[in-house]
Amino acid sequence: MPSPARVPSRSLACAIAVTTAATLTAVVLPAGPAAAAAPYKGANTAAVQDDFNGDGYRDLAVGAPGAANGSVDAAGAVVVLYGSASGVSATHRTVITQATTGVPGAPEEWDGFGTSVASADLDRDGYADLLVGTPSEAAGTMGGIGSLTVVWGGSSGLKGGAAVSPPTGLDEGCGFAAGIAVGDVTGDSAPDIGVTGNCGATSYTGPFTRTGRPARRSFVDALGTNRGVAMGDVDRDGRAERFWLPGPTGGDVNGTVYVDRGDGTYTELPLADGVTGRVGDVNGDGYGDLVTGVPYDASLMSDPSAAHRGGEIQVLYGGPHGIDPEQKPQVIHQDTAGVPGAGEDGDMFGESLSVGDTDGDKYADVVVGAPWEALGSRVGAGQATLLRGSATGLTATGAVAYSQDTTGVPGTAEQGDRFAAAVHLVDVTKDGRAELAVGAPGENADGLLWTAKGATAGPVTSGSKTLSGTAAGAKRRYADVEFGAALPGARQTG
């Protein structure tokens, strides 16, 4: 079970209570001259979105926020593993730090570069670009202001970069860029960005210039601490909706969900909860569906209205008019019939999640992380659970749980490994079936990434691989490397 320090007390203090059906308005701030339009080259398609070197294979970015840079402890790093027909491996990789040529900033102790990662072709040149969040980055003497960095993709991989300007007036501890999501909100084929932090929510409208300047930037400080953001098209109009998940407040311990349709207003979905979120077409009807994680149960929140024991996820289904505010979400937890295991205090089921088609049946599946799941007496060993998409929606039929005690998964589950602290589904082999990637940042002092190939029956443990942080090229001094702490996708950031 998580220690008391993991309970989001600071978030509760910073967040504000809002009424049901509340609507908030964004403040639009200038971000410099508008970026010139560039020819559309598929910047927001799956084929390009994660392909940093343009070889046709999607790549995988893995955060190691505790990695050292020379004598600078916990400066942080991101390891990019390039996709191929055989998957990803340490033999074809790039390690990015703030000491990498062309990357803005400089390594400083406890910066945590790589606390969050995402990718999109921001400048629309046909190559994915890497986005890196560093929420502990200092600005002058003020610690924890946060920064967002873009590293540019190209035919030879990732080279050079730029800083994406944060909102003005951020204070110490604001933790800007603790979470990142991308999607095309305006329908112009240029990726837009949603960024979370402890002092509000920030949206950036693309395209971006090579200086890192977007066409427009807006900031909503009324959201207070903002833990999660998800983006995807839930009404099939060719434009992504942006969902903000501020996290627990004094009036809603399960976390409020707001939808931003790109017009500058943010409307609450009053029946929905969550602190993490992803969008994917779970029932195959062509409309994106919103999946949220609600990991904080009564044992963590001291409130009987908190999530089901051990945590839960919720599903809201899209349609021609998007997500109906009166739609009652589908709720799944570890005590749902067919879901492996059982809900226990503090499992944090839903702390991380990802959506993707693992078996090629055209229905998006959902993998849910419970990094504080106890396996026997090993508290915090962690477990990932795969739930299947179907024509009738997300189902527990055929659900599978994975841990380091699962046959075929290398290694052994240990206390504090936090297996599934980050999870990601992505097709790196270009066979139409997503691979499963799972981070275990508490594995020894290195951290660990486990990957399993997608197949018609789902991810295959036989022949699956693990990779430690130091084997992947991350360096350790004194702090734990925490390789695998961040993968593209949803993870609670408080």
Side-chain angles (χ1 to χ4, degrees), residues 62 404 410-411 417 419 438-443 446-450 465-469 482-485:
V62 186
Q404 285 188 285
D417 280 348
F419 185 85
V438 175
E443 172 82 17
D446 260 15
L448 188 78
L449 179 75
W450 174 65
K465 304 172 184 177
T466 55
L467 178 64
S468 72
E482 292 217 311
F483 179 69

Side-chain angles (χ1 to χ4, degrees), residues 224-396:
T225 294
N226 198 81
R227 295 194 153 215
V229 57
M231 295 171 70
D233 185 1
V234 297
D235 56 9
R236 208 163 63 180
D237 66 351
R239 294 177 295 178
E241 283 67 47
R242 188 186 282 113
F243 299 91
W244 297 110
L245 302 103
T249 69
D252 185 353
V253 297
N254 292 322
T256 310
V257 180
Y258 292 98
V259 58
D260 165 20
R261 302 186 189 279
D263 60 0
T265 61
Y266 303 77
T267 304
E268 182 183 353
L269 298 177
L271 303 181
D273 304 302
V275 299
T276 57
R278 286 299 297 268
V279 175
D281 187 4
V282 172
N283 58 3
D285 64 356
Y287 299 97
D289 309 308
L290 175 65
V291 184
T292 63
V294 194
Y296 304 126
D297 62 15
S299 72
L300 300 175
M301 303 304 290
S302 301
D303 189 319
S305 67
H308 184 87
R309 186 183 184 193
E312 65 187 49
I313 66 165
Q314 299 184 2
V315 187
L316 289 160
Y317 293 93
H321 303 291
I323 294 174
D324 183 348
E326 300 305 313
Q327 181 183 157
K328 185 177 181 180
Q330 177 187 5
V331 177
I332 297 177
H333 43 70
Q334 286 185 291
D335 292 318
T336 299
V339 177
E344 301 166 311
D345 288 351
D347 282 345
M348 300 283 277
F349 183 83
E351 182 183 14
S352 62
L353 54 85
S354 186
V355 179
D357 183 5
T358 63
D359 52 13
D361 65 356
K362 308 306 179 186
Y363 300 107
D365 308 310
V366 177
V367 61
V368 185
W372 288 96
E373 175 84 25
L375 299 177
S377 62
R378 295 160 294 175
V379 177
Q383 179 173 280
T385 301
L386 182 73
L387 304 169
R388 308 284 185 170
S390 74
T392 57
L394 195 63
T395 175

Side-chain angles (χ1 to χ4, degrees), residues 116-144:
S116 60
V117 292
S119 67
D121 183 5
L122 297 184
D123 58 356
R124 299 195 300 181
D125 66 351
Y127 299 96
D129 308 307
L130 173 67
L131 285 158
V132 183
T134 312
S136 296
E137 180 93 55
T141 60
M142 294 194 298

Side-chain angles (χ1 to χ4, degrees), residues 459-472:
V460 179
T461 58
S462 177
S464 63
K465 304 172 184 177
T466 55
L467 178 64
S468 72
T470 52

Side-chain angles (χ1 to χ4, degrees), residues 20 74 178 251:
T20 299

Side-chain angles (χ1 to χ4, degrees), residues 66-75 99 107-110 475-479:
N69 192 283
S71 63
V72 183
D73 206 14
E108 298 170 312
E109 279 199 346
W110 304 105
K475 305 299 182 182
R476 178 174 183 261
R477 193 168 188 235
Y478 301 120

